[in-house]
Amino acid sequence: MIGLVVNPVAGVGGPAGLAGSDGADVQRLALARGARSRVQERAVLALTTLAERHPGLVVATAAGAMGADAVRAAGLVPRVVAPALGVERSETEAGDTSRAVAALAADGVDLILVVGGDGTLRDAVAGLDVAENPSGAGTDVGRHADMRMPAVLGVPAGVKMYSPVFAVSPRAAGAIAADWIDLGGLPTDEREVLDIDEAAMRRARVDPTLYGMLRVPYRSGRTQARKAPTPVTEAAAVEAAARGAVARMLPGIRYLLGPGGTTAEIARQLGVEGSPLGVDVVLDGTVVVCGASEQELLAAIDQGPAQAVVTVIGGQGFLLGRGNQQLSAAVLRALGDDPLLVVAPEQKLIDLHGRPLLVDTGDPELDARLAGHVRIVTGAGTSSLYAVSAPELTP
C-alpha cells in the first residue's frame, strides 16, 4: 500500500526570499509578499505519474489538503486514515504531519510519499518514532510488536532540501512509487534527515543537524544525493572561480546574485554586502535590492537587462530549484535567451562523476529549454561546458 502526506504550506517562503517556510509568522509574511506554495501541484504531478501506470489505485492518506485533495486530483482513490488538521484549527502545523505519518505507519502502509522540504521530512521522522513507540508518545496510535516501519520518499516541494531522502523531481517520485508496486518493493538505504535552523540560516549560519534516519527506496539517478559542503581547502579554487565570474560582468547589467558560498565570494570581490542566503540585485557594484522576492526580481528585470548568477549545489548538482526558488520560472523567462551566469570550482564538477547538473523550476517547458549544456566559469581564465538535465522530463 502506498501512502501520501502533504505539507500544505511547504515551499511558500522560497519565492518570498525567506530561506524557508517554518513557522506561522514566516508563512503569513510570505503570503503578504505575494508568494504561494506550489506543493499541491507538485503532489499531483507525482501522483499523476503513478496513476499512468496504476489507474484507480487506492492511496492511504490524510484528509483534505494534507493528501486526499491531491489524490483525487490525480484520478486516484483516497482512503483517509488521518485527519488533516487539529481540532478547530484552520492551518496545519508540524505535529499534523507527524500524526499523519504515524497513522499511515500504524495502518500498514509500506511506502509513504511525503511532500515538502527538509522540515517536513523531519516531522515524518518524529511520526515514525510515535508509531514505533506509541506507549511513550501519549497517543492512541497502535501497532503490532513485529511491524516494520515503512519506507519513506520525499517529494521535493520545499525550500531547503539538503537531505538525501528526496526524489530528484515529483515525476521521479511517482515513477519510484510505481516501480515499488510493480516489483513488490525496491532496494532501500538508511539515509539521513538533515535540517537547518531557519532563523540561524537567515543570519548566514548554515549548520545542518541530523534528526534521524529514514529507510528510502533507491533508484540510481532518481534519488538525490546529500548536499556536500565546500571544503575549506578549496577556498583558493572558489576565489579563482569567483574572480572569473566578476571579470565577465558588464556595466549596466543587473546581476541577480543567488545563494551559495561561491556567489558570496563574488559579492566580496565586488565589495558589496548582501543577504547571505538570499538573491540580491547588484548593478555596477551596488546592491539595489537585498534579499529580493520573486516579485522584486521581476520588477528589477523590467528596469533593464539582467542575468542570474548561480552556482552548483555540491554533491547534488542542482542549479535551480533547491534553495533559490526566488529565481522562479517567471523570473528566468523574463531574463531572456541567456538567463544564467553559472560559476563553480572545477572540483564540484569532478565530484559529480559525470552526472549531469539538474534544473527543477516546476515548468517542464522551461526546464527542457535549459537542458543540454551550459558554460560554467571555473577559474580566472577557465570555463567548462557541462551537461544539464531536466529530471522532471524523464521519470
Side-chain angles (χ1 to χ4, degrees):
M1 171 68 72
I2 301 294
L4 175 77
V5 176
V6 177
N7 175 1
V9 296
V12 70
L18 297 175
S21 307
D22 292 351
D25 290 343
V26 171
Q27 293 157 17
R28 283 191 286 269
L29 177 58
L31 294 172
R33 291 187 179 183
R36 68 178 183 90
S37 173
R38 301 184 65 242
V39 66
Q40 293 296 336
E41 56 199 84
R42 290 177 78 81
V44 171
L45 188 54
L47 293 172
T48 300
T49 304
L50 174 59
E52 289 170 357
R53 290 168 54 183
H54 294 279
L57 182 73
V58 175
V59 177
T61 189
M66 286 195 67
D69 290 349
V71 174
R72 291 190 186 95
L76 298 176
V77 180
R79 183 169 65 84
V80 175
V81 300
L85 304 172
V87 177
E88 296 181 353
R89 279 193 288 108
S90 59
E91 299 176 338
T92 58
E93 61 183 21
D96 294 316
T97 298
S98 299
R99 283 186 285 273
V101 168
L104 291 176
D107 192 66
V109 168
D110 53 9
L111 173 63
I112 304 176
L113 303 180
V114 179
V115 189
D118 283 333
T120 310
L121 271 295
R122 170 182 169 182
D123 298 332
V125 169
L128 291 185
D129 287 344
V130 168
E132 195 165 19
N133 303 288
S135 60
T139 176
D140 58 0
V141 174
R143 88 183 209 13
H144 299 295
D146 60 349
M147 186 181 87
R148 187 184 189 194
M149 287 295 98
V152 174
L153 179 64
V155 180
V159 178
K160 312 181 306 299
M161 286 167 285
Y162 295 152
S163 305
V165 298
F166 293 94
V168 295
S169 72
R171 281 175 57 82
I176 290 172
D179 289 345
W180 182 279
I181 295 171
D182 289 340
L183 302 174
L186 290 170
T188 58
D189 289 341
E190 292 289 327
R191 294 195 168 190
E192 312 101 316
V193 174
L194 307 164
D195 198 14
I196 293 172
D197 183 314
E198 290 186 4
M201 187 177 181
R202 295 181 186 104
R203 298 191 300 271
R205 294 187 58 185
V206 184
D207 298 314
T209 299
L210 175 65
Y211 284 93
M213 306 290 289
L214 290 174
R215 190 166 62 91
V216 179
Y218 175 76
R219 271 288 199 240
S220 179
R222 302 286 82 201
T223 313
Q224 76 178 35
R226 176 180 179 175
K227 179 185 183 298
T230 302
V232 175
T233 53
E234 288 188 19
V238 170
E239 188 274 336
R243 188 153 26 96
V246 170
R248 287 165 170 78
M249 290 182 168
L250 301 173
I253 305 295
R254 289 166 175 78
Y255 289 98
L256 317 183
L257 204 59
T262 306
T263 47
E265 175 60 19
I266 292 173
R268 189 193 69 78
Q269 292 186 23
L270 290 171
V272 302
E273 185 175 349
S275 56
L277 295 161
V279 177
D280 304 311
V281 182
V282 179
L283 173 64
D284 296 333
T286 301
V287 175
V288 294
V289 186
C290 184
S293 68
E294 176 189 23
Q295 295 304 314
E296 289 171 324
L297 293 177
L298 289 169
I301 295 167
D302 281 343
Q303 296 173 21
Q307 190 175 42
V309 183
V310 298
T311 189
V312 176
I313 295 183
Q316 294 182 351
F318 274 96
L319 283 180
L320 298 165
R322 299 294 185 271
N324 57 6
Q325 286 92 341
Q326 305 95 312
L327 299 173
S328 65
V331 168
L332 293 163
R333 286 186 179 281
L335 288 172
D337 293 335
D338 187 23
L340 301 179
L341 173 59
V342 184
V343 53
E346 189 172 20
Q347 189 61 47
K348 279 195 174 182
L349 306 181
I350 294 172
D351 290 344
L352 291 173
H353 304 292
R355 288 183 285 121
L357 302 179
L358 302 173
V359 291
D360 179 19
T361 69
D363 182 330
E365 183 180 335
L366 176 62
D367 288 351
R369 196 184 95 192
L370 295 171
H373 288 81
V374 67
R375 186 164 297 281
I376 302 172
V377 178
T378 57
T382 60
S383 64
S384 295
L385 202 62
Y386 202 90
V388 178
S389 176
E392 197 55 31
L393 303 178
T394 53

